[in-house]
Amino acid sequence: MKWFDYTALTLVIIGAINWLLVGIFRFDLVAFLFGNLSWLSRIVYTVVGLCGLYLISFFGRVRGMSE
C-alpha cells in the first residue's frame, strides 16, 4: 500500500502547486490543460480531492510511528 501513499502524496502536491498558481498568477493549470470544468478536469479535481482526504490518515500513522 506504500505505492498508493506515494501516488496520493504526489497528486496532492501537484494540486497544491495548482492552487499556488491560481493564488499568485490567477492561472489554473488543470483548466488550461483539460478545459474549464470539462468532464476530464472535474475528474482530476475529484481524484486530487479524494487523495487529500485519504492523506488525513497520515496524521494517525505518523503519530503512531513516533510512539
Side-chain angles (χ1 to χ4, degrees):
M1 212 53 176
K2 199 165 199 148
W3 64 271
F4 188 74
D5 292 342
Y6 287 124
T7 302
L9 186 59
T10 301
L11 288 174
V12 169
I13 289 170
I14 290 170
I17 291 170
N18 187 56
W19 277 112
L20 178 69
L21 291 172
V22 170
I24 294 176
F25 302 113
R26 294 184 184 175
F27 177 72
D28 187 348
L29 184 62
V30 174
F32 177 76
L33 293 175
F34 302 113
N36 192 16
L37 289 181
S38 69
W39 62 273
L40 193 53
S41 66
R42 290 177 58 143
I43 289 172
V44 171
Y45 290 131
T46 302
V47 169
V48 170
L50 289 173
C51 287
L53 291 176
Y54 169 75
L55 289 177
I56 292 172
S57 68
F58 265 20
F59 287 116
R61 288 186 278 161
V62 171
R63 185 172 174 216
M65 294 166 101
S66 66
E67 293 178 350

